[in-house]
Amino acid sequence: MKRIILLLVVISSVLAAQSQVVRPKLVVGLMVDQMRWDYLYYYYDEYGEDGLKRLLRDGYNCENTLINYVPTVTAIGHSSVYTGSVPALTGICGNDFVVDGRTTTSVKDTTVTTVGAPNGKGGQQSPHLLLATTIGDELKLATNFQSKVIGIAIKDRAAILPAGHSADAAYWYDRKNACFVTSSYYMERLPQWMEEFNKQHPLPDNHNLNPTNEGVTMTIDLAEAAIDGEQLGQDDITDLLAVSISSTDAIGHEYSTRGKENHDVYMQLDRDVARFLRILDTKVGRGNYLLFLSADHGAMHNPNFLRSHKMPNGGWDNGKTFRELNGLLESKYGGTKLVKAIMDSRIYLDREQIDARNLDIDAIKADVLKELCKEPTIQFAVDGDRISEATLPPVLKERILNGYNRERGGDLFVVLKSGHLGWRFRDDYHGTSHGAWNNYDAHIPLIFLGWGVTPGRTDRAIFITDIAPTICSMLRIQAPNCAIGNPIDMK
């Protein structure tokens, strides 16, 4: 009888084990800010075998991954990857936008305080403006909040938005205090391992870590410290680590897409990716982690560089347009600065003034559109409330609609001609930027590696909003609550 009972216990244990949902120990998101898709191949011959080449060799490479909204900027890109959604639904309409008549950053929160530095406002940030859940939030819900979720980056928005609302922590670099900080949204004091990290890692004398190759290495150092300090991936409850490399963006803005500086930072990235994979192999174990690499946006080639090779180029003098529009509206309607701001090709009208003076906003919009259409650098200009009625190529209409949030997305949107920056530049200008619908800004890398991934590649059209549903499908958890993407079939 005892043998029968023992056999039944063993069978019951085996069946219970077989019925458990199988998940990786750790999910790692590795975002590379401003990484154009073609950097995978432009520098390919110089990459080592164990970094980006390992991802290409051993991972599943989605070669035709596109951003399906405008503008293509950092805060939106990071939030869209982890929510599977677009600004129309997440409320993250840019790095900066207008909420209730006031300009704010995507993560600014004056109700919280800095943690990890003695003074300053560098930690007054949180995800409170994000209107959607993230992969991490859904993982927390699926594991009864036993999973650990951590976000890490030099940029505050790149650490906070991916981590989501219920994250255990997000850490970012406070330039004023030359250290990594967090906010009281997450905790009242830095954990001991984070305090030790700040003590042991000297920072640049000018406190500007962002536009340096050392910023890449420091971010990976911090990711390793988080794995050790929080014991990420060390038990049977899946954890999530969201890492973003910010230095590539700062260097690209300063030196553009070509030249020594951009070359060197991608060589450093390749070395640090190889090191990071070795860290994960050793501390979590090959086959125990699921990693994806992607980017929040790409970048346009420098317009002077394009001009030297007889390619379309230019720049919109939006400051001049701002002044001219306000002059026109003042002469016709009175008041001052009826155009409140121009940000990331979005034009905000002063709604409070227009409502207080009982002005006809539709008439004001019509006047602004008429003037914008005279600007030679502008290809299209549309009323945010009438995007569906505009005469536009379908791909543009969809991306503008996806990027338009009624409360935060501005009143009008401008599409510049290809190869044009959103500001006036000089002949000695050697940097660049991003924000457009074009492939140079909207075509991003996407590679999955590790747990549950069979090496391969696809040229099928995939969107940035498909990343979160794919990860959640693999984990057998609900997709984020505003996700519009679809799981990628990696076969």
Side-chain angles (χ1 to χ4, degrees):
M1 186 66 180
K2 290 182 179 180
R3 290 181 180 178
I4 294 174
I5 293 173
L6 179 61
L7 179 61
L8 289 174
V9 170
V10 171
I11 292 172
S12 177
S13 299
V14 171
L15 291 175
Q18 290 176 341
S19 67
Q20 291 178 350
V21 176
V22 179
R23 297 183 178 122
K25 291 181 177 294
L26 180 64
V27 176
V28 180
L30 181 57
M31 296 284 286
V32 184
D33 205 316
Q34 203 186 118
M35 185 176 183
R36 291 168 53 109
W37 162 82
D38 58 359
Y39 288 162
L40 288 172
Y41 302 103
Y42 184 73
Y43 297 120
Y44 182 86
D45 291 345
E46 298 183 71
Y47 292 145
E49 293 300 317
D50 300 326
L52 294 171
K53 278 187 179 179
R54 175 179 166 186
L55 292 177
L56 291 167
R57 181 179 64 248
D58 298 342
Y60 190 88
N61 185 5
C62 302
E63 298 272 23
N64 191 24
T65 304
L66 300 169
I67 296 174
N68 54 345
Y69 54 78
V70 283
T72 47
V73 297
T74 296
I76 306 178
H78 282 80
S79 59
S80 290
V81 163
Y82 284 86
T83 64
S85 195
V86 293
L89 300 173
T90 67
I92 302 300
C93 298
N95 297 328
D96 305 279
F97 44 88
V98 174
V99 179
D100 297 329
R102 296 185 178 183
T103 300
T104 181
T105 73
S106 58
V107 291
K108 188 65 178 176
D109 187 351
T110 57
T111 69
V112 299
T113 57
T114 302
V115 173
N119 54 62
K121 299 180 180 180
Q124 287 191 304
Q125 325 288 343
S126 84
H128 75 112
L129 292 174
L130 178 64
L131 305 178
T133 61
T134 62
I135 299 170
D137 292 327
E138 297 298 333
L139 182 61
K140 286 276 193 178
L141 287 164
T143 62
N144 293 320
F145 297 89
Q146 296 179 79
S147 295
K148 288 186 177 181
V149 176
I150 307 286
I152 286 170
I154 291 176
K155 291 183 181 180
D156 49 16
R157 55 188 177 270
I160 293 167
L161 296 172
H165 299 277
S166 61
D168 295 273
Y171 301 104
W172 58 93
Y173 181 66
D174 179 0
R175 182 177 175 181
K176 180 177 180 180
N177 291 287
C179 63
F180 283 89
V181 300
T182 188
S183 83
S184 58
Y185 177 88
Y186 303 99
M187 62 189 71
E188 295 303 318
R189 179 176 177 176
L190 289 181
Q192 184 64 35
W193 67 263
M194 188 71 244
E195 291 183 351
E196 289 299 319
F197 181 90
N198 277 331
K199 291 177 183 177
Q200 294 171 7
H201 288 75
L203 296 164
D205 291 337
N206 64 0
H207 291 188
N208 195 4
L209 180 63
N210 200 5
T212 65
N213 294 347
E214 289 80 4
V216 179
T217 301
M218 188 79 74
T219 303
I220 298 302
D221 288 347
L222 182 53
E224 180 179 16
I227 291 171
D228 291 339
E230 299 293 342
Q231 290 293 287
L232 300 178
Q234 300 306 305
D235 57 30
D236 293 331
I237 307 297
T238 302
D239 299 320
L240 185 145
L241 177 61
V243 182
S244 182
I245 305 297
S246 303
S247 296
T248 43
D249 182 70
I251 289 171
H253 277 296
E254 183 70 21
Y255 300 104
S256 190
T257 60
R258 293 292 184 265
K260 182 181 186 303
E261 292 83 4
N262 198 65
H263 165 273
D264 289 354
V265 75
Y266 277 91
M267 294 302 102
Q268 186 63 54
L269 174 70
D270 182 56
R271 291 189 292 270
D272 280 320
V273 166
R275 180 167 64 93
F276 192 35
L277 293 176
R278 288 194 295 271
I279 291 167
L280 293 169
D281 289 344
T282 301
K283 299 190 175 185
V284 183
R286 281 199 182 213
N288 289 332
Y289 62 89
L290 169 61
L291 178 144
F292 70 86
L293 177 142
S294 192
D296 52 350
H297 54 74
M300 190 185 89
H301 294 305
N302 176 271
N304 289 318
F305 169 80
L306 293 173
R307 180 182 301 164
S308 70
H309 293 282
K310 302 178 182 179
M311 297 183 188
N313 69 92
W316 173 36
D317 190 344
N318 59 16
K320 179 172 177 284
T321 299
F322 178 78
R323 293 188 297 272
E324 289 179 347
L325 286 175
N326 273 316
L328 170 72
L329 297 177
E330 183 176 348
S331 65
K332 186 170 183 177
Y333 298 98
T336 58
K337 290 189 178 180
L338 287 176
V339 174
K340 188 180 187 73
I342 298 178
M343 294 186 290
D344 294 326
S345 296
R346 290 169 286 117
I347 297 175
Y348 290 88
L349 299 178
D350 188 339
R351 291 275 187 150
E352 292 181 352
Q353 184 182 170
I354 290 169
D355 290 343
R357 298 178 55 215
N358 201 28
L359 298 176
D360 185 342
I361 191 167
D362 289 329
I364 293 172
K365 285 182 179 180
D367 289 335
V368 172
L369 285 172
K370 184 177 179 180
E371 289 304 305
L372 290 173
C373 290
K374 296 177 183 178
E375 169 57 50
T377 62
I378 293 175
Q379 194 160 27
F380 300 102
V382 297
D383 179 345
D385 291 327
R386 292 181 170 83
I387 299 168
S388 60
E389 303 168 18
T391 304
L392 293 167
V395 65
L396 273 179
K397 185 175 291 188
E398 179 184 12
R399 293 186 189 187
I400 296 171
L401 278 167
N402 284 342
Y404 175 66
N405 181 280
R406 181 178 58 83
E407 296 179 335
R408 303 176 180 183
D411 296 282
L412 304 105
F413 190 83
V414 166
V415 178
L416 300 179
K417 290 181 178 178
S418 300
H420 283 62
L421 286 175
W423 64 82
R424 184 182 179 185
F425 62 92
R426 302 187 311 183
D427 290 342
D428 61 352
Y429 175 66
H430 49 71
T432 193
S433 194
H434 48 85
W437 70 273
N438 308 76
N439 281 343
Y440 45 75
D441 284 349
H443 189 187
I444 56 174
L446 175 59
I447 306 174
F448 298 88
L449 177 77
W451 181 92
V453 177
T454 301
R457 64 181 296 278
T458 181
D459 289 313
R460 295 191 306 273
I462 287 166
F463 297 106
I464 191 171
T465 49
D466 295 332
I467 298 173
T470 300
I471 297 296
C472 291
S473 175
M474 295 177 73
L475 298 181
R476 297 294 185 264
I477 65 175
Q478 184 66 272
N481 62 11
C482 290
I484 64 169
N486 297 295
I488 300 164
D489 183 3
M490 290 191 275
K491 295 179 181 177

